[in-house]
Amino acid sequence: MRERDEGRGLSRRRMLGIGGALGLMAATGLSASAALARRPSVTGAELRSAVPLPPPFQVPLPIPAVLKPVSTSGGADRYEITQREASAEILPGVRTPLWTYEGAFPAPTIEARRGRPVTVTHRNELPVPTVVHLHGGRTPAASDGYPTDLVLPGGWQEATPHTGHGSAQGAHGMHDPRAVVTRLTRDYTFPLDQRPTLLWYHDHRMDFTAPAIWRGLAGLQIVRDDAEDSLGLPAGPRELPLMITDRAFAADGSLDYPSLDPTLRERPGVREPYLAGVLGDVILVNGAPWPVHEVDAARYRLRILNASNARHYELEAVSDDGRRLDLVQIGADQGLLAAPVTHRLLPIAPAERYDVIVDFSGVPVGGLVRMVNRLGSGRTREVMAFRVARKATDGSRIPRTLSTDLPAWRRSDAVRVREFAFRVGQMHGGHGWLIGGLPFDPARADVTTHLDDVEIWRLVADVHHPVHLHLVGFRVLSRSGRPPLPHDAGLKDTVSLRPGEGVEIITRFDGYRGRYLFHCHNAEHEDMAMMANLEIL
Amino acid sequence: MVIDAAPMTTPTGWALRAVVSAHMVAIVGQPVFAGVYLTGDYDSLLWHAIGADVVTSIGYLQVIVAIVVWVRLRRAWPFLATMAVVVAETVQYFAGLDGALWLHIPLGVVTVAALVVQFIAVWRRPLLRREARDARAR
């Protein structure tokens, strides 16, 4: 008996020891996780600029010029855009070579009216093939900018386009027999039979979208109609388009980007540390670093686009005394909401747009309102600022009802439900980003549906994936099984999935038949195969 | 001495064994549903959420049983170990709702490990009333 008791005593001591060791291990593991984790979580790696960065709120906010049509006859507007190399002084005293539409970054804005077709003749004078996609446009497939529908430069030495997704392998000779390739020029026709909203056009070339946008191939296109004009929203100089991008600058003043092939001709992909996305350490708004804009003490309509490759923002407007101004959302990616939604903090993922009213009337003259990015750290915490310059009268208003034409699809309308996992994976023996376990293949029909079918899609993400559907707008039904968030309101074309999150969306595939895309709009993920085909029969 | 060599487990001891076993079975389902969810199976998130309710409910049931064990058998360690797991599961529940995966995943692993240890502890030896053993020892 004594022996057994001693045995038990020993055992109890040992049990305490084991328990203590397990407890210590648990505590160490959890604190290591807390210390190492990115909180808030960020997908991507940041480049560091090699030039001195200017202090914030010194440069005035540029407003992109409105492009003049070359013709307005025949009930349609015709534009001509030359894609060419140019240089600009983005940082004071530093010349930065760019790839541009019409020599400007951001590109000139196209002002359009609902239902009035726009044809843009793009001429490619860049050293590489290009593709133009109008993001958010309800566009026939032939003008939607499918990634293999290339416009080759004059001297390009490749008869048929060979594309190859891959971070480290280069071209795989993946031939797309349906590609429509043109040389030097191409007409893109946009019927614009859609709700008024802020669209943007950008390069969408297979495997090289991210570096092309990074070098400057992005611009705005605004669609308006009489109903929206009559609402009495802030307009004219009190309507500001804000294209937010992040960039990094190399020592020679050029835009730094970790391309495997800096000529962007042959080998796609970025260096290994940047596979999850490329972040810059300079925040540009309309192409200017941390700009400042003089405003009246009145309501302003901010039409915000996150045109960054991979950076997410959580925007808030903070006055000198630390007060947070209301961000009254009136519109989403695909136009006006039914009714305004008031935010203090507005998350915005790559390619998302928010139409927001900010009222500066409560800010004293001379006061500064900073637009802060809560997801940033250091310099990327600042975005831009507004300096309230003068008192002013304000005839604008925010109607309680903004629109009554939002589609009201119900779950019972859906003829099918699809599920897609957006996650990291292997492709061609290398690192890639996959949808439903598969890398993009132009020849594979991933989704085949019929015109006017209503479908529910359930999207699940491993890390941040802003998921974009071409052609259609959709509504968010749920987030991780719970109701949508306040900023999910309205009609969207890009939905931001956060790590581990699942989102249900519902849409009707109407408009046009043909081959379209859906993809992750983290531009690096997109270039590393996170795209799939959407075939509408 | 024959009785002492093969001591009988009391009904209270059996109750603890049952609830710890059910708890472990339930918690093992959680990483399964999470993994299937991340392959794109949206419904598995619902199962993960239901699983979280079941696991935490069994956890609170285990607290009650552990209190009974403490009162009737005069053994406190099941209660202390159960409280540690239940606190972890409660944090785990809200970390999951909040999407704080940096906490949710390692804490989940630790919680499963702790329950496995408890499972071994309750099945390895019968839980006897402390005085009974002390009386026999005298």
Side-chain angles (χ1 to χ4, degrees):
Chain A
M1 247 8 267
R2 270 196 72 214
E3 272 171 28
R4 206 174 136 184
D5 268 2
E6 273 175 7
R8 277 194 182 168
L10 190 65
S11 166
R12 191 174 296 126
R13 265 206 307 282
R14 185 165 292 171
M15 282 301 278
L16 278 173
I18 291 168
L22 289 176
L24 191 64
M25 262 164 53
T28 310
L30 290 173
S31 0
S33 181
L36 295 173
R38 298 175 173 193
R39 289 178 294 145
S41 54
V42 173
T43 299
E46 188 171 291
L47 289 163
R48 290 270 155 195
S49 290
V51 293
L53 301 180
F57 320 140
Q58 304 292 309
V59 186
L61 174 76
I63 305 297
V66 173
L67 190 64
K68 288 192 174 56
V70 293
S71 151
T72 57
S73 60
D77 297 332
R78 293 190 65 90
Y79 293 89
E80 287 174 4
I81 289 178
T82 303
Q83 305 168 358
R84 59 183 172 85
E85 294 178 279
S87 73
E89 189 179 325
I90 293 174
L91 301 180
V94 177
R95 287 312 290 185
T96 301
L98 297 167
W99 286 0
T100 68
Y101 298 112
E102 287 292 297
F105 171 67
T109 300
I110 294 176
E111 282 277 354
R113 301 296 296 186
R114 179 179 196 163
R116 184 177 167 89
V118 164
T119 298
V120 186
T121 303
H122 277 270
R123 180 183 171 85
N124 180 7
E125 294 184 358
L126 291 167
V128 299
T130 61
V131 172
V132 179
H133 169 62
L134 179 63
H135 182 118
R138 208 164 110 108
T139 307
S143 287
D144 196 53
Y146 194 82
T148 53
D149 290 350
L150 303 172
V151 183
L152 305 177
W156 188 257
Q157 296 298 321
E158 199 179 23
T160 52
H162 286 269
T163 60
H165 267 310
S167 57
Q169 301 78 40
H172 299 285
M174 190 192 281
H175 182 59
D176 177 15
R178 293 169 72 180
V180 179
V181 177
T182 59
R183 195 168 281 273
L184 207 55
T185 68
R186 186 184 183 109
D187 284 358
Y188 292 90
T189 297
F190 308 109
L192 298 172
D193 174 21
Q194 61 185 98
R195 306 180 83 233
T197 189
L198 173 68
L199 310 176
W200 62 301
Y201 59 102
H202 63 77
D203 196 66
H204 213 308
R205 174 189 168 205
M206 184 78 162
D207 296 341
F208 294 97
T209 294
I213 294 176
W214 188 269
R215 289 186 190 199
L217 291 178
L220 304 175
Q221 178 159 337
I222 302 176
V223 186
R224 302 179 191 278
D225 73 356
D226 295 342
E228 186 183 302
D229 291 348
S230 67
L231 289 177
L233 298 167
R238 291 186 188 162
E239 178 186 344
L240 300 172
L242 302 177
M243 180 199 276
I244 305 174
T245 56
D246 60 339
R247 295 290 185 268
F249 293 81
D252 62 358
S254 65
L255 292 171
D256 195 9
Y257 190 85
S259 286
L260 294 176
D261 173 7
T263 68
L264 307 187
R265 295 175 69 91
E266 304 265 335
R267 191 179 177 203
V270 292
R271 296 198 306 271
E272 202 262 321
Y274 299 93
L275 289 172
V278 178
L279 310 173
D281 61 351
V282 178
I283 306 298
L284 306 176
V285 183
N286 296 345
W290 301 288
V292 62
H293 188 68
E294 278 201 354
V295 293
D296 300 337
R299 278 189 209 94
Y300 275 71
R301 180 178 184 186
L302 309 180
R303 313 200 67 169
I304 307 170
L305 158 69
N306 179 1
S308 309
N309 282 20
R311 185 178 289 281
H312 292 237
Y313 303 80
E314 271 183 18
L315 300 174
E316 59 182 10
V318 184
S319 64
D320 291 318
D321 55 4
R323 194 165 60 86
R324 297 199 294 172
L325 273 60
D326 282 347
L327 303 169
V328 181
Q329 186 192 349
I330 56 165
D333 302 332
Q334 287 286 319
L336 292 168
L337 308 181
V341 177
T342 301
H343 307 277
R344 283 285 168 82
L345 191 63
L346 188 62
I348 181 166
E352 282 189 309
R353 285 93 70 210
Y354 285 97
D355 201 345
V356 168
I357 307 281
V358 177
D359 190 350
F360 297 109
S361 64
V363 180
V365 171
L368 194 73
V369 175
R370 291 175 307 130
M371 185 91 92
V372 174
N373 168 28
R374 284 272 297 266
L375 297 180
S377 56
R379 296 298 307 271
T380 60
R381 232 181 135 72
E382 304 282 3
V383 176
M384 66 170 293
F386 301 92
R387 171 78 65 191
V388 178
R390 62 196 80 82
K391 291 226 171 288
T393 55
D394 189 354
S396 74
R397 62 192 199 100
I398 308 174
R400 292 160 71 107
T401 301
L402 294 160
S403 70
T404 52
D405 64 333
L406 278 171
W409 304 304
R410 289 159 306 173
R411 281 180 186 271
S412 54
D413 297 334
V415 296
R416 61 189 72 83
V417 176
R418 301 181 197 264
E419 296 186 333
F420 299 100
F422 288 73
R423 62 190 161 94
V424 71
Q426 295 289 312
M427 57 163 195
H428 319 308
H431 178 293
W433 294 95
L434 313 178
I435 300 177
L438 297 171
F440 181 56
D441 178 353
R444 185 183 61 232
D446 298 288
V447 169
T448 304
T449 188
H450 295 271
L451 196 67
D452 292 327
D453 276 4
V454 176
E455 297 195 1
I456 291 173
W457 286 18
R458 297 165 147 193
L459 317 169
V460 176
D462 60 350
V463 293
H464 290 92
H465 294 298
V467 176
H468 169 49
L469 272 64
H470 285 214
L471 183 67
V472 292
F474 53 77
R475 307 203 65 168
V476 178
L477 287 176
S478 73
R479 268 187 191 267
S480 295
R482 283 174 285 160
L485 296 170
H487 65 270
D488 291 324
L491 197 61
K492 294 181 61 62
D493 57 44
T494 308
V495 63
S496 173
L497 275 67
R498 296 168 299 182
E501 202 166 44
V503 167
E504 285 184 300
I505 60 171
I506 186 168
T507 190
R508 181 194 298 276
F509 293 96
D510 62 355
Y512 306 95
R513 294 183 167 87
R515 181 171 64 157
Y516 291 90
L517 281 177
F518 64 100
H519 61 89
C520 174
H521 219 295
N522 174 317
E524 280 76 30
H525 295 187
E526 177 181 341
D527 279 350
M528 282 177 273
M530 200 166 240
M531 298 200 288
N533 288 302
L534 165 59
E535 182 88 41
I536 300 170
L537 302 175
Chain B
M1 289 314 281
V2 174
I3 291 168
D4 192 51
M8 296 295 288
T9 300
T10 61
T12 313
W14 277 110
L16 185 66
R17 283 178 172 178
V19 72
V20 168
S21 304
H23 201 172
M24 196 182 70
V25 169
I27 206 167
V28 162
Q30 289 300 85
V32 175
F33 298 134
V36 175
Y37 165 66
L38 285 175
T39 69
D41 184 75
Y42 193 83
D43 285 335
S44 290
L45 185 62
L46 178 65
W47 286 109
H48 190 66
I50 292 170
D53 290 336
V54 170
V55 169
T56 36
S57 304
I58 297 176
Y60 296 133
L61 189 65
Q62 189 178 318
V63 173
I64 296 168
V65 176
I67 290 170
V68 175
V69 168
W70 193 2
V71 171
R72 296 188 60 163
L73 305 184
R74 309 235 171 142
R75 289 182 180 272
W77 71 261
F79 173 76
L80 297 174
T82 300
M83 280 314 292
V85 164
V86 164
V87 167
E89 283 174 352
T90 307
V91 172
Q92 179 69 350
Y93 197 99
F94 290 102
L97 280 181
D98 201 42
L101 299 184
W102 65 270
L103 178 60
H104 191 70
I105 291 173
L107 188 57
V109 172
V110 168
T111 312
V112 172
L115 260 175
V116 169
V117 170
Q118 286 186 20
F119 177 81
I120 294 168
V122 296
W123 282 98
R124 208 170 70 93
R125 249 199 324 255
L127 261 185
L128 300 179
R129 193 174 152 86
R130 190 175 285 274
E131 290 95 333
R133 188 202 65 188
D134 291 347
R136 277 197 300 277
R138 271 197 302 275

